[in-house]
Amino acid sequence: MDLFSAIDTEPVRKHMEELAAELDRLNHEYYMNDRSMVSDEEFDHMMRELQDLERQYPELASPLSPTKRVGGEVNKSFRQVQHRFPMLSLGNTYSIEEIEGFEARTRKLLDGEQFTYTCELKYDGVAIGLTYRHGQLVQAVTRGNGSIGDDITTNAKTISTIPLRLHGDYPDDFEVRGEVVYPFEAFDAMNRQREADGNEPFANPRNAASGSLKLQDSAECAKRKLLFCMYFMMAPDGIELKPTHLGRLDWARQMGFKVQPYIQECKGINEIKAFIDHWDKARWELPFGIDGIVIKVNQTALWDKMGLTAKSPRWAIAYKFKAERVSTPLESISYQVGRTGLITPVANLAPVWLGGTMVKRATLVNADFIAKMSICKGDSLFIEKGGEIIPKVVGVDMEKRVVGAMPIKYITHCPECGTELVRMDGEAGHYCPNSDGCHPQIIGRLEHFVSRKAMAIDTLGPERLELLYSAGLVRNIADIYNLKREQLIGLGTEVAASIQDKGADNMLAAINGSKQVPFERVVYALGIRYVGEVGAKKLARYFKNIDALMVAPEEELAQVEDVGEVTAHAVCEWFAKADHKVIIARLRAAGLQMEVRMLSGDNKLAGMTIVVSGVFEHFSRDEIKADIEKHGGKVSGSISSKTSYLLAGEKMGPEKQKKAERLGVKVISEKEYLAMVQ
Ligand code: IVH
């Protein structure tokens, strides 16, 4: 940088610093103190200004800038790092008697000492450790196996309740531990969006929090609205912390951490039990999930005195809540018809409160499930809700069974179109075979076809598809490509807003755009039973084009990796139908991709099966797998005698190495791999 520009940027640097400080302050007020000091627009305006300046003057951008909250950096792979202090777990129990035992043992061990306990929530999320030096966040690491975890610093910086710089007085070098949780409201919203996009929803907030921290794109993580609940602080020898756990948490709050207020100092077992009792019931009123209560000795000097067992400290214990269970009358059973014709029985229950929500329905899975539980008409069912969000039927409340109750008779005909149901040998589910005449199947197939992972025509939501169907414009997936502008304009009623000029244009543009969607996704979009995203990819890559796939014999289909006999049969059956042949011909004529587009054109790894393990320098795990496939090789998850190479990155597990040696599989490094393909 020459002198002129050095002088020139000084006011810019100052302005950037001021903006960053102000944004930090506003963030702190908003997330820690629930106070909005400016309007959202003003905040966004300042944030954008700082982002623009950082783009223009990257050398002046701070690694701890509030813009990092918005994310944008991409994690290639998560570096594995050693924890400075091992991340211990706690002894845990579901029994109050064992908590009494813990308390009695502690009293005995600390005979003659003045001490108290703290009771706090056991947050149900993902444990992470945050290292701060000179008041700045330097590293965030997941628990991993307790000694080594993943470096997730970039994603952690997007969590608004993790301070990037600390306030006031703080230790010069220390670590903070806590749990990253996914608050219910944000979790529900995210799952609804995932379903709308055709993605699998997360089973529970814990899994979702864990998945979010491992996202490659930190901007995606920023959207997840995760919450960090701080619960522990530690420092290397020579750095003084406060002498009580409560004092440390208070101190952390002053530094800018979000410390949940639900924590209590308890003198003995009665107060501990009262705290547990209270939260066992009140836990569903919290905005996030907890799975128990953690009890710790408050005076930290006594921790060393009490010491550790094999893997957990003696000065703390976790009480875990039992899954909540209620019994409620089964009022009726509805039978839902999916896009493949699969019937799902659903129990309509007398509404009952369970784990903070009103439960009215729960799946009964299939006919076998109902038979196994021997559910009868008029029964009351036990419903349970543990860590999962979705309530489960776990049994029949036999005390409420009436004498002479009749077992449930499973339906024999489709509730939607009246066709007789079929159940194939070896399958648990019943199907409606009337795929071309059964309304929910037709609409379901259209919805699947346009979903994100398939053709991604996002201007065609369920309401519009229903509209186009009832107007007689779209009866099957190929009809979508025959839609004309003049047919669309004005379509709709008060229920679904009428389609205007712009809406029609956007719709047609999205339909047109979908013609570039790669062949493997076209195969997935067809909605062939059992052919999921992975199966479709494997089929597309194996057969390379639709003509080969259409005429492939069942035995050959079954040879494709991840495609079993059942799927092979379904694929054959699908392409054998005359109607489907017409649909394929029409989709081809419309210009959809009907063959794989070769990216590299080389087949250097043709016929080879490679197992990938460990961490790589030039690729993320997904990237290296894609690279192998690009060169015509196959990726497999486990080593067998058929494996050509074990491609070993850093930190590969010793078992893999041993297995490769035992089976005589050659182990190659990333460098050797690159030499092979280049
Ligand atoms: S204290 C050395 N406090 O529960 C003690 N843990 O096995 C450190 N957890 O892995 C843990 N809420 O991830 C503590 N208020 C809380 C907690 C908590 C959740 C998690 C933590 C730990 C596990 C216990």
Side-chain angles (χ1 to χ4, degrees):
M1 195 185 285
D2 59 34
L3 184 65
F4 183 72
S5 60
I7 295 166
D8 221 10
T9 55
E10 182 50 26
V12 182
R13 191 191 59 75
K14 210 160 157 241
H15 183 55
M16 284 170 76
E17 252 179 41
E18 283 163 4
L19 270 173
E22 181 61 3
L23 284 163
D24 273 340
R25 186 181 74 88
L26 294 171
N27 262 330
H28 182 79
E29 289 296 340
Y30 187 80
Y31 290 107
M32 307 292 173
N33 301 333
D34 291 327
R35 258 202 308 251
S36 283
M37 313 296 279
V38 293
S39 69
D40 287 358
E41 289 77 29
E42 278 175 89
F43 184 88
D44 291 344
H45 181 76
M46 276 194 267
M47 185 64 93
R48 256 196 305 274
E49 187 182 354
L50 184 57
Q51 277 170 328
D52 287 345
L53 287 169
E54 286 180 352
R55 227 167 288 144
Q56 219 177 325
Y57 303 92
E59 71 281 7
L60 302 182
S62 153
L64 295 179
S65 160
T67 58
K68 295 284 181 265
R69 301 285 198 205
V70 192
E73 279 174 61
V74 171
N75 298 289
K76 279 258 170 227
S77 64
F78 297 95
R79 205 164 54 95
Q80 299 218 306
V81 286
Q82 178 105 31
H83 287 292
R84 188 155 46 143
F85 316 102
M87 259 179 128
L88 302 173
S89 62
L90 295 179
N92 65 56
T93 175
Y94 287 92
S95 125
I96 285 289
E97 290 73 42
E98 284 188 31
I99 297 295
E100 287 169 347
F102 162 82
E103 199 276 333
R105 248 186 341 269
T106 306
R107 229 180 319 121
K108 207 163 141 203
L109 247 153
L110 298 180
D111 189 26
E113 302 277 0
Q114 282 283 333
F115 74 97
T116 53
Y117 300 96
T118 58
C119 285
E120 66 197 282
L121 308 179
K122 182 164 166 14
Y123 309 104
D124 193 9
V126 183
I128 62 167
L130 304 172
T131 303
Y132 286 85
R133 289 210 183 91
H134 316 300
Q136 302 197 341
L137 173 69
V138 291
Q139 192 172 57
V141 184
T142 60
R143 186 183 135 82
N145 63 9
S147 334
I148 295 173
D150 289 328
D151 181 335
I152 46 127
T153 313
T154 311
N155 282 346
K157 281 183 188 169
T158 69
I159 301 176
S160 41
T161 36
I162 293 182
L164 304 180
R165 295 168 204 275
L166 302 178
H167 295 256
D169 173 33
Y170 44 77
D172 216 32
D173 177 11
F174 73 122
E175 186 170 332
V176 157
R177 299 248 166 108
E179 204 87 352
V180 174
V181 298
Y182 214 135
F184 292 132
E185 211 182 298
F187 170 78
D188 287 341
M190 184 263 316
N191 252 357
R192 272 199 302 274
Q193 185 60 46
R194 281 181 77 83
E195 281 182 297
D197 293 348
N199 290 323
E200 211 26 50
F202 284 105
N204 58 49
R206 189 189 337 102
N207 292 359
S210 169
S212 303
L213 291 181
K214 296 287 181 59
L215 282 167
Q216 298 256 322
D217 179 1
S218 63
E220 215 29 61
C221 185
K223 288 187 201 147
R224 297 283 175 99
K225 303 205 177 92
L226 299 167
L227 172 70
F228 177 69
C229 300
M230 185 269 175
Y231 58 63
F232 202 62
M233 189 193 285
M234 64 218 310
D237 287 344
I239 291 195
E240 278 295 299
L241 301 176
K242 307 279 175 202
T244 63
H245 178 57
L246 273 180
R248 290 178 182 185
L249 294 189
D250 261 344
W251 193 20
R253 191 178 284 125
Q254 286 162 33
M255 293 177 207
F257 289 96
K258 183 108 188 168
V259 180
Q260 296 297 328
Y262 321 105
I263 177 158
Q264 192 180 312
E265 186 172 9
C266 295
K267 285 195 272 305
I269 188 68
N270 290 337
E271 286 178 28
I272 294 174
K273 282 206 260 190
F275 190 88
I276 290 178
D277 268 356
H278 170 75
W279 284 107
D280 198 356
K281 291 183 203 82
R283 64 173 158 142
W284 300 108
E285 288 157 27
L286 288 166
F288 49 78
I290 61 171
D291 59 343
I293 297 296
V294 177
I295 303 132
K296 298 173 187 161
V297 168
N298 189 25
Q299 287 66 24
T300 56
L302 300 176
W303 292 358
D304 282 343
K305 200 168 164 176
M306 295 181 75
L308 306 173
T309 65
K311 58 181 172 53
S312 47
R314 281 208 180 79
W315 44 265
I317 192 164
Y319 172 81
K320 299 246 287 187
F321 297 132
K322 293 177 200 67
E324 223 188 321
R325 172 188 280 210
V326 288
S327 135
T328 186
L330 167 67
E331 293 184 333
S332 64
I333 297 180
S334 309
Y335 294 85
Q336 289 177 347
V337 187
R339 74 173 161 85
T340 60
L342 177 69
I343 308 290
T344 306
V346 177
N348 298 308
L349 305 160
V352 62
W353 278 100
L354 178 69
T357 46
M358 185 68 89
V359 179
K360 296 182 193 138
R361 291 148 70 77
T363 179
L364 291 171
V365 191
N366 55 38
D368 287 349
F369 184 89
I370 295 174
K372 202 175 75 204
M373 298 235 174
S374 46
I375 301 174
C376 290
K377 271 194 178 160
D379 271 348
S380 282
L381 303 180
F382 281 121
I383 318 291
E384 211 170 75
K385 194 157 157 184
E388 315 295 303
I389 284 292
I390 301 155
K392 274 203 292 235
V393 174
V394 293
V396 173
D397 184 352
M398 292 309 276
E399 283 183 14
K400 297 201 185 133
R401 160 93 31 109
V402 288
V403 184
M406 295 297 289
I408 297 288
K409 268 213 199 92
Y410 206 74
I411 50 165
T412 54
H413 290 75
C414 177
E416 299 280 344
C417 70
T419 307
E420 191 171 354
L421 300 180
V422 293
R423 190 186 206 184
M424 270 163 314
D425 280 349
E427 283 194 10
H430 285 71
Y431 286 88
C432 165
N434 180 21
S435 51
D436 299 324
C438 180
H439 184 86
Q441 293 191 57
I442 298 167
I443 294 289
R445 269 199 308 273
L446 292 170
E447 282 180 13
H448 171 77
F449 184 78
V450 302
S451 66
R452 272 279 155 90
K453 286 191 174 168
M455 306 307 286
I457 310 177
D458 51 10
T459 48
L460 282 182
E463 243 173 42
R464 280 198 171 164
L465 286 172
E466 192 72 58
L467 202 63
L468 293 168
Y469 176 78
S470 50
L473 293 174
V474 173
R475 293 269 155 177
N476 63 45
I477 55 177
D479 291 342
I480 292 175
Y481 294 93
N482 287 98
L483 287 170
K484 305 266 174 312
R485 194 170 186 278
E486 55 277 15
Q487 293 175 314
L488 299 174
I489 309 255
L491 210 59
T493 60
E494 317 77 62
V495 192
S498 154
I499 298 171
Q500 310 287 316
D501 289 13
K502 201 156 175 281
D505 289 338
N506 287 344
M507 208 192 280
L508 290 172
I511 293 171
N512 212 23
S514 75
K515 294 177 186 169
Q516 299 312 317
V517 162
F519 177 53
E520 57 192 48
R521 275 169 56 195
V522 175
V523 174
Y524 171 66
L526 296 177
I528 304 171
R529 192 180 294 171
Y530 308 118
V531 178
E533 230 191 316
V534 177
K537 196 188 267 183
K538 298 277 162 81
L539 286 170
R541 291 190 185 170
Y542 184 97
F543 291 102
K544 309 258 186 306
N545 61 57
I546 196 79
D547 297 306
L549 179 61
M550 278 172 90
V551 298
E554 203 168 315
E555 308 76 59
E556 194 178 354
L557 285 162
Q559 307 242 310
V560 179
E561 202 186 346
D562 287 325
V563 178
E565 280 170 25
V566 180
T567 312
H569 183 73
V571 174
C572 257
E573 216 174 40
W574 199 92
F575 284 112
K577 274 197 163 180
D579 291 357
H580 292 164
K581 290 196 176 112
V582 174
I583 285 184
I584 296 292
R586 290 178 60 201
L587 293 178
R588 190 202 301 263
L592 269 68
Q593 301 298 315
M594 290 296 172
E595 60 184 25
V596 279
R597 265 186 279 188
M598 278 295 175
L599 288 176
S600 74
D602 86 43
N603 255 337
K604 287 188 175 145
L605 302 177
M608 294 186 192
T609 304
I610 300 180
V611 174
V612 175
S613 180
V615 181
F616 298 93
E617 195 187 334
H618 298 97
F619 303 90
S620 75
R621 193 80 75 87
D622 284 342
E623 283 167 352
I624 206 157
K625 285 182 181 168
D627 198 69
I628 293 171
E629 288 176 351
K630 197 176 90 183
H631 293 289
K634 267 195 209 159
V635 180
S636 163
S638 60
I639 306 170
S640 74
S641 55
K642 292 198 192 118
T643 309
S644 321
Y645 295 106
L646 169 61
L647 174 49
E650 279 194 33
K651 312 248 165 56
M652 181 179 75
E655 314 80 49
K656 281 239 164 85
Q657 176 90 33
K658 270 193 222 140
K659 189 159 180 199
E661 277 167 21
R662 203 171 61 235
L663 295 172
V665 172
K666 187 162 186 235
V667 183
I668 55 168
S669 67
E670 184 178 1
K671 215 165 137 195
E672 286 169 301
Y673 170 78
L674 286 170
M676 270 165 79
V677 295
Q678 272 163 9

